[in-house]
Structure formats: structure tokens, C-alpha cells
Amino acid sequence: MITLGITGSFADLSGTFMPDVPEWLFHDSAAALVVDGVVVAAVEEERLNRIKHSNKFPQLAAQSCLELAGIKASDIDDIAFFFGEDYADLELRYEYLKFPDVPALPARELLTTRLGEALGRDFRRSEINFVRHHHAHAFGSHSDSGFDESLAVVIDGNGEAESVSVFHGRAGELELLRSYPAADSLGHLYLSLLPLMGFRRFDEYKVMGLAPFGDPHVYLGELRKFYSLGENGDFTMDSKAVLENLMETGFTPRRRGEKIRQQDKDLAAALQSALEEVKLHLLRYWAGHTGVRNLALSGGVAHNSSANGRVLQSGIFDKVFVHPAAHDAGASAGAAQFRQAQVTGARKGGPLRDLFLGPELGGRSEVAREVRRWQDFLTVEPLEEGTEGTVAAAAVADGEVIGWARGRSEFGPRALGHRSILADPRRGDNRERVNAMIKKREGFRPFAPAVLAEHAAEVFDLTSTDASLEFMSYVVDVRPQWRDRLPAITHVDGTARVQTVFPDRNPALWQIIEEFRARTGVPVVLNTSFNNFAEPIVQSIRDVLRCLLTTTLDAAILPGHRVRRREDLVDAVLAAPVVFHPTAEVRRISRAGGGRPATELVATYQYAGARSTSLSAAMFDFLSAGNGEPRSLASTGVRASTAEGRELAEEVLRLWEHRVIDLDPQSGS
């Protein structure tokens, strides 16, 4: 049986259908292909359309899954969508209120239309199956855990009407034990307080990283006024009242870009403590009530790795599995797995061994072909086949920060060794360098260690709970004797979000760490996602080169090649045709007050929640005059020998860094 799982909204990239779909609606679009109970391909749409947390219909992801599996659209038996039909139709009705001229089509009809457009096949309405959101999450985590029996718990912002669901998972069945209403959502508590600290939706992980710098007791009492823990695992949570109370008691919201204040750190600490307190309360009750000693955890809140570490330390369960794609993208696979179990009566899959389910990067010949197109931007060193890991280990040991890419990409939000930035964990300045110069993100944010599995317990306190630590799902203590030796990955509270690496499951990364250990005596490297601040994790060779050229990475190591950025890119930048992202545009924005110009020229995107990037008058005129066609600055007479040329080249690099434009060099093509 072949089932295609789908997450995402019904909006298309061109904006012809519902151009103003809010960023929170059916976010993290993805597609997953399940064949006889086994997930054979899965990819998030953001990796392909290059829009972070994209909620556009996953057309590219669906096409990619079929290509990866060698399956034709006509082979698909059915489709599984990650929400119930009534709920999907309700959300659509709210959207139709904004667009009275748009035909009010139901979700089932929209899915058949979008799938037909994407895959070139007419799907029958009966082939579309809607799976309740928490059932999709829970079944995916229970199935991939490999547990015969588990307490499958989903914690997120909300499903259809619930924010927490507790299931008893056995074989191919889920029994719902209890659901908690969306009004008491832990996810919504986190979301509601983000703006107070100057953060946006999808920045929850920043608060988690900031929390150890604060004192939870400063604000925890204020938070506790509006949540309570009851008997039998009950709890109530009024996140709206929490926000209103903090505002009324004088908490001044931080504006984005302003310095992080102590009160922001203290509020982050209190918020994290409240989440952990409620989470442990309900898990402790349900473990005791059911006697089930295995936990399978999913939902967006399950990506709070600090809280997951507390679960391990608590000893509530003998075994814990946190799904590494616990967010909504992962529900694409869970919905398909659930649908197949409904039809066949059996659960397959698990225990999950790796997440390399996305598209291939390409081999030596594909890299060589793409690198040739960028020869004016890069210096290239050919490498003998099989030596890439040795070269990478030596570079990291010598102090370089490198990009490393090969094979099929990871499914989910973590780079686990196929699309990674690697650095020496012994150098404390690497934390500052990667944060400030490559990621351009807040300096308080920690980095994860990738450690040889056979040395993990030597360096980290893995607790007595049996858990798979391969997917960066848990924060654990760095052993005291290692903290000074590993300053780049040890957080301020002595913890780290660890990734264990096995030679049979992740051989390329294992080889790098083993050779680094042989050189340094340290069985750990710093591993973070291969991307800059403005983009999702890199997917293709082109994405790798774009990231290298717009950051201060020392090098990128790809199959058969080590590539570096040339020092002077002015001539190359001016000569390369400039291309807009399909959803980008330039605008004149009227401003009022604040000492800013009355009119600001910006480049931005045409989707909800998009950020804008300022433009000079000359760049605005250049981009506006192109009618969307690729053309170079050099073709308009701009020369590198002039001050104007150098300034415009720097502006192009800045816009490229922000990903509102792309460069398309033709040399060697």
C-alpha cells in the first residue's frame, strides 16, 4: 500500500489563491511517502521553495517524494491530510471571509485540485483521507519508537480543539485516554509571551536558550496566578491572563533588535519553569495511572529539548522516545502511517534509525558541474574519493568552521550530519564566531555537540532513562570535568543538546569525529544546521554554495571537492544576473514619525509575516526596471573600478544574504 501524507495550507506560491494566508495556518508544509507502513521519503516544502516555515501547499515536496521512491503518481493508493475534515473546512471558511470574490471550495475539493496540479493525476475525492491532528502525531511517534506499548502523548499549540492528548499505544492501535482543551495550551502560553521578549512566532527555541541566564523566581509567582495543577493530571492554563497581568504590572516589551535585558532573561526562565512543571505533572500522573513505562512524545512542544531532558532526569519512564520531527511537518508521515494502519490493521516501522529521508545532494560529477558555474566566485580544490571526512576532520582541528553536505537531507528541524556546519568545540570563540558572523543570531544561543556514541557517557550525563540521543532531542548535563574543555558547546548552566553518532547509522559524520578525536583526544565536534539567518537548512549544491558565499564560513566540503569563497567578489557580483525569488518584490513604504524618512524603499516577500530589507535609490531603480527578468548591474554600465560599483556590489551581497534576490552566474554552464 502506498500513501502520500500531506501537511500545509492550500495556498500556492504565486499567490493566485488566498495570497494573505496567515503564517500560523497549517504551517510547516511537508510531504511524506509511506509504503507498506514504512516511511521511504519525507521532505519539508521549505527546503525546496526556500521559505522558512512555509505553509504553501507542498507541491515540490510531493513531487520530490515520488522521485526519491521511484514511484509514479498513478501508483498512489490514497492521500492522508494532517487535520480532520470539519476543522479544515472551518479554517477555510474563516479565510473566505477575507476574500468574498473567491469561490468557497471545501478542503477535500481543494486537495484534489492541488494534488492534480502537482502530480499530473486526477485524484478521486474518496482517495482523500483526513486524520485528526493529534492522532497523526501520536501514531507517528508510537510507530517510530519501536515500542510494543507506549504512552503516546501529544503537546502542541492545538489540534482541532485540544492542546494535549494522551493515548495508549499498542501494536497498530491508539486508545485516547484524555484530551486537554486548547484553552489550556502550553504551546499558546509560550507563543503569547514571545512578543514581550522581542521575539516572533517560531522563536520559541530562542526563549529556551535564553532561560538559563535568568532567575525563574522573579516572574514565576506571577505566572502561577493563572495556572493550576489539579488531581488526576488535571491542569488549567490561562495564557491570555498571564500576558495581560504582566503588561498591567509594568513589564515593558522589548523591541526587536534592542539589547536583551535581565527582565527578558528572568521571564524566559519563569516561562520554561512553568512549562516543565506542568509537563512533568501530567506525565507523572499518566505513567502512574496506566502503569505504562514507555513514553512516545510528539507535537511542537516536544521540540523543547530542555523540558525533555527534565523528563529523562525525572525517572518517570524506563524508556523515552521524542519524535525528531515532532512539529507539524512530521504529521505528514504520521497521518500516512495512521491511514495505512486503519486499512491493514498492522503497525510497521520503528525503531527509527535515521532521518535521512530527503532529496540527494548529488555526487562528485554533479558538484563539479555546479561549481563550474560559480568559478568566478570560488576557489576549488579537488579531493580524492573517500578522503572528504579526513579533510574535514583536519580542517576542524586546525580551527576552521566548515560546511559539510552529502547524501540525502534530514527530515525535520535538526542538521544531523548531512547538512551541517562543523567546528572545534574546544574553542570558546567558535560560539561567538558562528553566532555573530555566520548565523548572525543572538549570542546567547547554544550549539549542539555531536559525540561518538561509544564515548557519550564519558562526556555527558545521559541519565538512567533509556532514550535515543541521536536526534538532538534532549538537553543533558556536560560532565564537570569536560565543561572547560568544551566551551563552544557547553551552555551557561553546564548543559548541552547532545547528538550521539553511531558508525553504522551515520558513518560519514562518525568518521569525522573519530579522526578529530585521534588528532585532539576529544570525541566531540560542534554541529549546527547549514544555513544562514534568512533561510532554511540548505538542500541542494546550489544552496550550499549560496550559503558559503554569503557567510564567513572558511570552506564547504562536498563530494570530491573543497570550495572556498574568493576574497574579492566585486567583479563577479556585478557581472552575475540578479534573479528575484518567485515571491519577492520591491516596494515604497510610507513611514510616519520615529525620525525615519517619510518613504522607505524595501525589498520584501509577498506572503504574510515576511520581513523587509532596505534598498538604496539606485538599487530600487535597478530592480524596478528589470520587469522580473534576470540582468546584471554590469549590463547597465556599472563598473567595479568606481565607488558606485563597489557600493552596489556590497548591496547586492547584502540582499543576497537576506535571500530576497539570487545570483545566477552563467560561466561554465
Side-chain angles (χ1 to χ4, degrees), residues 204-495:
E204 291 88 341
Y205 58 95
K206 296 182 182 181
V207 177
M208 183 180 68
L210 184 62
F213 292 89
D215 178 359
H217 298 98
V218 174
Y219 291 108
L220 190 56
E222 294 300 318
L223 268 62
R224 281 178 171 158
K225 292 177 182 178
F226 302 100
Y227 73 87
S228 63
L229 307 180
E231 296 181 353
N232 303 323
D234 285 349
F235 72 92
T236 61
M237 174 68 68
D238 190 340
S239 56
K240 181 180 179 181
V242 171
L243 174 62
E244 292 175 347
N245 178 62
L246 288 169
M247 293 289 284
E248 290 169 0
T249 54
F251 192 103
T252 304
R254 183 179 77 92
R255 311 320 296 155
R256 264 198 306 276
E258 292 180 351
K259 183 179 179 181
I260 299 284
R261 308 160 301 181
Q262 186 58 47
Q263 68 189 68
D264 303 315
K265 300 173 185 178
D266 294 338
L267 181 57
L271 178 55
Q272 182 66 28
S273 291
L275 173 71
E276 292 173 1
E277 182 178 25
V278 177
K279 182 174 177 176
L280 289 172
H281 168 73
L282 72 91
L283 291 178
R284 186 173 283 111
Y285 168 75
W286 285 106
H289 178 71
T290 63
V292 178
R293 300 292 296 174
N294 300 330
L295 171 67
L297 190 63
S298 59
V301 175
H303 279 314
N304 191 303
S305 51
S306 293
N308 297 341
R310 289 288 308 280
V311 173
L312 296 188
Q313 293 170 346
S314 72
I316 297 172
F317 298 95
D318 296 332
K319 297 180 180 180
V320 173
F321 174 77
V322 174
H323 202 286
H327 60 316
D328 278 6
S332 60
Q337 290 168 302
F338 180 82
R339 169 60 185 165
Q340 291 203 353
Q342 281 185 312
V343 175
T344 66
R347 182 203 94 193
K348 295 184 180 179
L352 189 66
R353 294 301 184 188
D354 70 63
L355 278 181
F356 304 125
L357 297 168
E360 280 277 356
L361 180 77
R364 184 188 188 97
S365 61
E366 290 86 356
V367 173
R369 185 163 52 250
E370 185 64 29
V371 164
R372 279 196 299 271
R373 302 182 66 247
W374 297 86
Q375 61 189 8
D376 295 336
F377 290 78
L378 302 167
T379 62
V380 183
E381 175 190 351
L383 302 176
E384 292 185 17
E385 185 176 355
T387 65
E388 296 93 343
T390 299
V391 172
V396 172
D398 288 341
E400 291 193 2
V401 179
I402 65 166
W404 170 263
R406 67 189 300 108
R408 294 180 66 173
S409 59
E410 301 91 338
F411 181 52
R414 313 295 190 203
L416 301 172
H418 281 198
R419 303 291 189 277
S420 290
I421 290 174
L422 305 176
D424 188 341
R426 301 171 301 163
R427 297 184 51 162
D429 61 337
N430 273 340
R431 181 202 295 264
E432 287 70 33
R433 181 185 172 194
V434 178
N435 268 330
M437 299 177 68
I438 296 173
K439 296 282 193 171
K440 293 194 175 179
R441 66 184 199 177
E442 300 86 353
F444 63 81
R445 290 168 56 185
F447 290 105
V451 58
L452 299 175
E454 59 269 34
H455 290 275
E458 170 192 345
V459 182
F460 304 98
D461 182 358
L462 305 183
T463 79
S464 60
T465 304
D466 185 356
S468 174
L469 302 177
E470 296 175 66
F471 306 115
M472 294 189 189
S473 297
Y474 309 92
V475 167
V476 299
D477 289 334
V478 182
R479 294 198 182 276
Q481 63 270 29
W482 280 91
R483 292 176 186 176
D484 289 341
R485 297 180 67 184
L486 302 173
I489 58 87
T490 301
H491 204 24
V492 65
D493 58 351
T495 65

Side-chain angles (χ1 to χ4, degrees), residues 93-126:
R93 287 197 292 274
Y94 279 116
E95 290 304 303
Y96 289 136
L97 290 176
K98 299 185 295 186
F99 301 99
D101 296 328
V102 174
L105 302 177
R108 187 177 293 272
E109 186 168 345
L110 285 174
L111 277 170
T112 59
T113 300
R114 287 286 172 263
L115 286 163
E117 294 168 347
L119 304 180
R121 170 195 158 181
D122 291 332
F123 285 86
R124 298 189 302 275
R125 291 165 59 89
S126 61

